[in-house]
Amino acid sequence: MFTPDTGTQQQLHHLYRHHHGWLNAWLRKKLSCQHAAADLAQDTFLRVIVSERTPMPEQARSYLTQIAKGLMIDLYRRQRLELGYQEWLSQLPAAEVPSPEAQAIALQSLVQLDKVLDQLPAKVRQTFLLSRFELLTYSQIAEELGISVGAVRKYMLKATQVCMEIL
């Protein structure tokens, strides 16, 4: 765990004291939710601490804004995944609805998978999604994406290897 030296601690304290209120207000405007804004403001400063880098005073707000924007994107993606998962659950017969614990585990797995897939090259990601979620054959995927069946196999191997790494 990173333990900042005294000078860095003072810089972090100054950064937090002078910019936390502003960042929290900025996030409240963007998110229209004071609780989410407070969480993201704290997460933003946590990212600064973990990164072991503090911005120059004149760059503090732009630096914090950049981090907060990334966290907002993560929040929106997670909310989109949660909504899709909840819609899928609502279509299940009551007897087949998983327990709250199983739902939490499944949602966490979906979030991890989403992060991994987002890091893949576009064609690899598209190939994987078409195969696993649209249930297209390799030939259909090749036709849809304008690539060879061999490329589809290669992309599926890459995507599957990356997915197995997170398991």
Side-chain angles (χ1 to χ4, degrees):
M1 177 83 188
F2 169 65
T3 306
D5 60 40
T6 305
T8 304
Q9 285 179 354
Q10 289 174 346
Q11 288 175 324
L12 289 169
H13 178 73
H14 181 269
L15 183 69
Y16 189 87
R17 190 178 52 185
H18 286 91
H19 299 288
H20 179 265
W22 165 83
L23 181 62
N24 199 358
W26 182 82
L27 285 165
R28 270 195 318 270
K29 284 183 204 171
K30 296 288 184 189
L31 298 170
S32 302
C33 176
Q34 70 181 21
H35 303 295
D39 287 345
L40 286 187
Q42 290 303 106
D43 289 347
T44 299
F45 283 98
L46 182 60
R47 290 261 174 114
V48 172
I49 292 168
V50 170
S51 76
E52 302 181 23
R53 290 179 281 152
T54 53
M56 299 299 295
E58 63 275 5
Q59 298 171 336
R61 287 193 176 181
S62 64
Y63 185 71
L64 294 171
T65 301
Q66 180 181 5
I67 294 169
K69 284 180 180 179
L71 291 170
M72 280 192 301
I73 290 168
D74 291 346
L75 175 67
Y76 291 141
R77 289 177 76 153
R78 182 177 176 94
Q79 288 174 339
R80 189 185 75 228
L81 282 170
E82 287 176 0
L83 181 61
Y85 185 60
Q86 291 301 323
E87 286 176 11
W88 178 77
L89 285 174
S90 71
Q91 296 173 7
L92 290 177
E96 293 181 26
V97 174
S99 70
E101 295 84 12
Q103 289 179 34
I105 291 168
L107 186 57
Q108 185 61 33
S109 297
L110 284 172
V111 169
Q112 285 180 308
L113 180 61
D114 182 60
K115 285 180 183 177
V116 168
L117 291 176
D118 190 50
Q119 295 172 5
L120 292 174
K123 290 263 185 177
V124 175
R125 181 176 52 252
Q126 277 184 292
T127 299
F128 181 80
L129 293 174
L130 289 171
S131 173
R132 296 297 178 226
F133 297 105
E134 300 296 326
L135 305 175
L136 298 183
T137 66
Y138 284 13
S139 298
Q140 291 169 322
I141 295 168
E143 186 177 318
E144 171 122 357
L145 298 180
I147 58 177
S148 69
V149 173
V152 171
R153 283 191 190 103
K154 183 176 109 180
Y155 294 162
M156 283 300 295
L157 178 62
K158 172 73 175 162
T160 303
Q161 286 172 335
V162 170
C163 290
M164 293 302 290
E165 288 173 14
I166 69 166
L167 296 175

